[in-house]
Amino acid sequence: MEYLSPLDASFLDAEDGDPHASLAIASIAVLDGPVPSQAEFAALIRGRLPLVPRYRQKVRRVPFNLGRPVWVDDPDFDLDFHLRRTALAEPGGDAALEQVVARVMSQRLDRERPLWEDWLIEGLPEGRWALLSKVHHCLIDGVSGNQLYRLICDSGSRTRHPAEDHWQPRRGADAIDLTLDALGQLARTPFDQARVMAGAMRSPAAVARWLLATTRGLGTLAAGFLPTAPTSLAGPIGRARRYAVARTALADIAAVSDACSVTINDVYLAAVAGAFRRLMLQRGEEPAADAVRTLVPVNVRARDQEGLLDNRLSSMLLLLPVEIDDPVRRLRAVHERIGELRASGEVEAAAAMVALADREPFGPVSMIIRTALRVPQTAITTVTTNVPGPNRPLSVLGRPIREILPYVPIAERLRIGVAVFTYGGQAAFGITTDFASVPEADEFAGFVVDEVKTLRDTCRPARTEAAQPRPARRRAAAPAAASS
């Protein structure tokens, strides 16, 4: 049986615990025309299905939640159900596209079917069209979403031949089989844990160092769950969403990174912090030092895991320095705070907790997660994800992809989420907000662009000899998700 990991399953639990949440992530590829017919669209995706087995599988829960959910083949798989088509009202444009994305992403995926949809969107200016790929977060994170692009799209203008397909749905386990297997796993758990402990005891010094580092990291992680100052940017949300896009040249962000000796990710987060500060001031609220804490997903894949379609995430809990007025000082504060969090071992501690959950009986782990989700959280205001996109031009059916826009879901009192995706020399910020409580999605996107421009203009002078050397960690920590 193919089991979901506890982390994968937690996204299902989180969605179950929040009736207003739809925990699907998405990306929107904008392409040149001509718009393909529905038959061409269906033939393309059908020819890629053998490369993405999860696209023909659905989630099956184990009775009484005794074990982790499993992936099972869908015997009634119908490709047409997953391929949707719509068109923008004339004259089209960014605002119309953003409204369609928000409407599509507000709706939950059908749990009785494979958890994905592809939407072909017609009516963009200059004869262009868009392909919206919507996938539940339990299946992939933002980084593995890149792998989907490699599998579905083509490099260059030539279209690959369809993959050979000999798929026949395997008979799914019935409730008795699932229950017996889960009980067997429960019976084996103490012995598996004993083997792990025995192996650890062969290197007691290494275990002691690991325990010390993990304990220190958990202390930092626990501090990150202290309540933030109350603001209108966090609180109950509805089902409907707004979506807006901010676009900046990646070269501008890289120039700031070089001039100020910080990472690309630092510049992203500083721009977002500046946008939050502006929004709070516009609302007449004090941007206090403890007002905006963001969840920053971190990719923890090993090199040999880069192609896996699943979630391999840890996280940082970062207080954005919205209290600082000067953009450069704000950027420096982001850089220093991330450095402190990394030095504390917070990311490793969070990853260790995820790994530990994988060795514990699933029922109690799931119960803990579900219980925690029933308590309104007051520690996190937003989620900010950064995904470096494909580093080469892609095409679909011979049509070049001009840009890729990210979407991250929001839930659990998070009224704003920000995803960043880089492709073709552009950094696209996808802004998701709760429809009713944060109608300023477009303004927030504009604030992000203004913050990047301000940093670019302020940091334009070349570095002096006294400037600090560039940190080694050039590559930004990458999530999913796209958001989430």
Side-chain angles (χ1 to χ4, degrees):
M1 296 186 188
E2 297 180 88
Y3 290 94
L4 279 73
S5 72
L7 180 58
D8 296 339
S10 71
F11 291 108
L12 296 174
D13 287 340
E15 190 175 71
D16 290 339
D18 186 348
H20 299 115
S22 171
L23 289 184
I25 63 175
S27 60
I28 304 93
V30 177
L31 303 96
D32 285 340
V35 180
S37 67
Q38 190 67 10
E40 289 178 296
F41 180 33
L44 166 72
I45 303 302
R46 185 178 295 109
R48 300 292 189 263
L49 287 176
L51 306 178
V52 192
R54 292 283 183 262
Y55 269 23
R56 291 189 283 206
Q57 295 178 318
K58 58 185 181 180
V59 174
R60 180 88 179 271
R61 289 277 192 179
V62 176
F64 310 110
N65 220 26
L66 289 173
R68 287 180 283 170
V70 298
W71 293 108
V72 297
D73 288 349
D74 182 2
D76 302 315
F77 176 74
D78 182 352
L79 179 61
D80 290 337
F81 176 85
H82 299 273
L83 301 184
R84 312 294 178 89
R85 196 179 187 101
T86 189
L88 305 182
E90 292 184 357
D94 288 344
L97 177 61
E98 291 165 359
Q99 289 173 5
V100 167
V101 171
R103 189 162 60 247
V104 168
M105 299 308 298
S106 296
Q107 305 302 315
R108 288 188 174 187
L109 289 162
D110 186 348
R111 292 278 188 92
E112 298 300 315
R113 297 177 182 270
L115 295 172
W116 67 278
E117 295 171 356
D118 277 351
W119 287 73
L120 193 154
I121 305 171
E122 302 180 59
L124 275 69
E126 301 176 3
R128 293 182 174 177
W129 54 285
L131 179 59
L132 187 160
S133 299
K134 176 180 179 181
V135 184
H136 199 282
H137 213 329
C138 74
L139 197 153
I140 62 171
D141 57 27
V143 174
S144 55
N146 266 338
Q147 178 66 5
L148 272 182
Y149 269 107
R150 298 187 191 98
L151 296 174
I152 301 298
C153 303
D154 299 304
S155 297
S157 59
R158 297 188 62 180
T159 302
R160 287 175 292 164
H161 293 295
E164 290 189 20
D165 191 3
H166 306 290
W167 181 78
Q168 290 293 329
R170 293 171 294 180
R171 185 186 70 85
D174 58 26
I176 294 177
D177 290 334
L178 291 172
T179 303
L180 291 176
D181 190 77
L183 291 173
Q185 288 193 45
L186 286 172
R188 292 192 299 271
T189 296
F191 300 99
D192 293 339
Q193 293 174 337
R195 280 197 298 271
V196 172
M197 291 295 295
M201 288 302 100
R202 287 195 286 267
S203 303
V207 172
R209 289 193 298 272
W210 178 85
L211 285 173
L212 181 62
T214 302
T215 301
R216 185 174 65 249
L218 287 176
T220 304
L221 187 63
F225 284 99
L226 293 175
T228 55
T231 76
S232 64
L233 303 180
I237 62 175
R239 289 187 175 89
R241 301 288 176 262
R242 296 180 192 265
Y243 178 70
V245 178
R247 299 170 176 84
T248 66
L250 184 57
D252 289 346
I253 294 175
V256 175
S257 171
D258 288 333
C260 295
S261 298
V262 297
T263 69
I264 293 287
N265 204 43
D266 295 338
V267 183
Y268 291 150
L269 289 170
V272 172
F276 269 102
R277 175 181 171 83
R278 292 187 185 212
L279 181 58
M280 293 178 72
L281 290 173
Q282 179 175 287
R283 289 186 166 200
E285 299 182 34
E286 178 64 27
D290 61 345
V292 181
R293 181 180 288 114
T294 181
L295 172 69
V296 183
V298 179
N299 176 30
V300 293
R301 283 174 171 78
R303 288 188 178 275
D304 61 349
Q305 299 171 333
E306 289 295 333
L308 298 178
L309 295 179
D310 59 3
N311 289 278
R312 304 275 172 145
L313 297 174
S314 182
S315 61
M316 288 191 294
L317 297 175
L318 171 69
L319 274 173
L320 293 177
V322 295
E323 76 280 6
I324 300 176
D325 178 49
D326 180 75
V328 177
R329 285 183 53 231
R330 194 184 307 125
L331 173 60
R332 178 55 55 187
V334 167
H335 177 73
E336 291 173 353
R337 292 179 187 186
I338 290 180
E340 291 169 359
L341 290 175
R342 287 193 174 277
S344 74
E346 181 183 61
V347 171
E348 291 77 10
M353 292 301 98
V354 172
L356 181 62
D358 204 22
R359 298 184 180 279
E360 297 296 322
F362 177 74
V365 171
S366 179
M367 184 180 298
I368 291 171
I369 293 172
R370 288 171 178 264
T371 302
L373 291 171
R374 292 192 187 100
V375 180
Q377 68 86 20
T378 57
I380 302 171
T381 310
T382 186
V383 56
T384 48
T385 77
N386 165 30
V387 181
N391 56 13
R392 65 179 70 180
L394 299 176
S395 65
V396 174
L397 295 171
R399 287 83 158 171
I401 295 178
R402 293 305 180 190
E403 64 176 356
I404 300 176
L405 314 174
Y407 177 95
V408 62
I410 54 175
E412 290 299 317
R413 298 174 59 86
L414 274 63
R415 291 177 167 175
I416 302 178
V418 184
V420 190
F421 195 93
T422 56
Y423 172 78
Q426 175 180 273
F429 292 73
I431 316 299
T432 306
T433 71
D434 177 58
F435 188 91
S437 61
V438 186
E440 306 100 326
D442 287 330
E443 291 178 75
F444 190 94
F447 293 157
V448 171
V449 173
D450 291 343
E451 287 294 322
V452 173
K453 289 180 179 177
T454 300
L455 285 169
R456 178 199 63 192
D457 295 340
T458 306
C459 299
R460 188 183 300 277
R463 286 185 297 170
T464 65
E465 293 183 1
Q468 297 179 3
R470 180 174 185 77
R473 54 183 181 93
R474 168 73 186 209
R475 186 184 178 193
S483 148
S484 8

